[in-house]
């Protein structure tokens, strides 16, 4: 089985409304179709790499190419876990968790996107909370990084809600104009204070060597339930 050779294929995160895992080929096609259907308003791209500006068929194909490229370049030193987000069994978007030299830096970064019909319903917060639980409780991370362009109000709101603190700004040239990226940093202590989403992790331990870890961190835990 694939999971015997590549354990991340068996990794699964579960929250009250969502399931996050690597997709099957057919589910990857559904993710591509979702992207082709639109991710944002035409004049308000949240991405520095303008992959969503391509015609629908090209945008869909880029999702598939990106997914395969990230898996193909995976090493224990540097990896990106690009999980498909399922809401009630329906593909809703993608949530990524990436790291480099995780066993040394104890630092991760996140990126994500959602299909338009799933936006504005708290899904973005819940799916990022899931990978933050994986990072801090499962992988022993000490901090998580994120960033969003100034006009990406939804992403900025998710970061603030989950306890991130401002970590500076960076200017970029995009389409002949200047745009500002706001950066955020989440510490383990801040994550502990702000987490409210119950998350269950399944299939993690066999993945640890491929993520640059020899053993589960002392503080790791596979399941956390919100206090009643």
């Amino acid at each position: 089985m694939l999971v015997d050779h590549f354990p991340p294929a068996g990794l699964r995160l579960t929250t009250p409304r969502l399931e996050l895992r690597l997709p099957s080929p057919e589910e990857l096609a559904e993710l591509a179709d979702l992207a082709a259907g639109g991710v944002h308003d035409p004049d308000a791209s949240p991405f520095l790499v303008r992959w969503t500006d391509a015609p629908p068929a090209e945008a869909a194909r880029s999702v598939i190419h990106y997914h395969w490229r990230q898996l193909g370049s995976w090493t224990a030193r540097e990896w990106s876990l690009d999980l498909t987000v399922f809401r009630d069994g329906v593909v809703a978007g993608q949530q990524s968790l990436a790291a480099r030299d995780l066993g040394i830096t104890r630092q991760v970064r996140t990126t994500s996107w959602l299909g338009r019909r799933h936006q504005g319903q708290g899904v973005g917060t819940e799916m990022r909370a899931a990978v933050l639980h994986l990072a801090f409780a499962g992988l022993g991370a000490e901090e998580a990084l994120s960033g969003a362009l100034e006009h990406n109000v939804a992403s900025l709101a998710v970061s603030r809600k989950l306890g991130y603190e401002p970590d500076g700004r960076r200017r970029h040239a995009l389409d002949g104009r200047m745009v500002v990226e706001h950066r955020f940093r989440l510490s383990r202590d801040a994550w502990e204070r702000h987490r409210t989403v119950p998350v269950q992790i399944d299939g993690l331990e066999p993945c640890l060597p491929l993520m640059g870890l020899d053993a589960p961190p002392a503080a790791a835990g596979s399941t956390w339930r919100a206090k009643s």
Side-chain angles (χ1 to χ4, degrees):
M1 296 180 66
L2 178 60
V3 70
D4 296 327
H5 303 285
F6 188 68
L11 180 62
R12 188 182 309 264
L13 310 180
T14 307
T15 69
R17 294 188 296 170
L18 308 176
E19 180 183 64
L20 288 76
R21 55 178 171 79
L22 292 179
S24 69
E26 292 76 16
E27 291 163 344
L28 181 59
E30 293 178 27
L31 186 68
D33 289 339
L34 183 69
V39 177
H40 57 78
D41 291 334
D43 58 348
S45 173
F47 307 115
L48 288 171
V49 177
R50 306 300 291 270
W51 61 276
T52 53
D53 290 348
E58 293 182 23
R61 195 175 301 113
S62 73
V63 170
I64 296 171
H65 285 171
Y66 179 82
H67 182 80
W68 286 343
R69 185 167 61 248
Q70 295 295 86
L71 289 180
S73 62
W74 185 300
T75 67
R77 183 184 179 194
E78 186 169 7
W79 49 265
S80 180
L81 179 66
D82 302 304
L83 300 172
T84 297
V85 179
F86 297 86
R87 181 184 181 191
D88 297 325
V90 176
V91 172
Q94 184 178 75
Q95 175 68 63
S96 300
L97 180 74
R100 183 174 184 179
D101 296 317
L102 177 62
I104 300 171
T105 66
R106 296 297 180 183
Q107 183 185 82
V108 299
R109 61 189 183 277
T110 63
T111 56
S112 65
W113 62 267
L114 268 175
R116 295 194 67 177
R117 64 179 178 270
H118 299 282
Q119 296 174 11
Q121 302 167 59
V123 176
T125 299
E126 194 166 327
M127 65 198 224
R128 199 190 310 179
V131 294
L132 289 175
H133 183 89
L134 171 62
F136 288 110
L139 301 176
E142 294 178 358
E143 61 181 19
L145 307 180
S146 186
L149 297 183
E150 197 165 43
H151 62 268
N152 191 354
V153 177
S155 180
L156 296 173
V158 169
S159 293
R160 296 185 181 110
K161 183 176 182 179
L162 292 174
Y164 289 76
E165 296 180 354
D167 192 37
R169 303 192 306 171
R170 182 176 179 182
R171 295 185 176 194
H172 300 272
L174 187 64
D175 296 337
R177 61 188 179 88
M178 189 268 289
V179 295
V180 176
E181 178 191 13
H182 289 257
R183 296 184 171 187
F184 294 89
R185 185 181 304 266
L186 179 67
S187 67
R188 171 179 284 275
D189 287 343
W191 169 71
E192 289 276 7
R193 293 195 304 270
H194 289 83
R195 59 178 181 166
T196 59
V197 177
V199 182
Q200 178 172 320
I201 306 173
D202 295 297
L204 175 59
E205 189 164 357
C207 302
L208 297 178
L210 274 71
M211 294 175 160
L213 301 173
D214 295 329
S222 62
T223 307
W224 179 78
R225 297 295 177 184
K227 294 180 180 179
S228 58

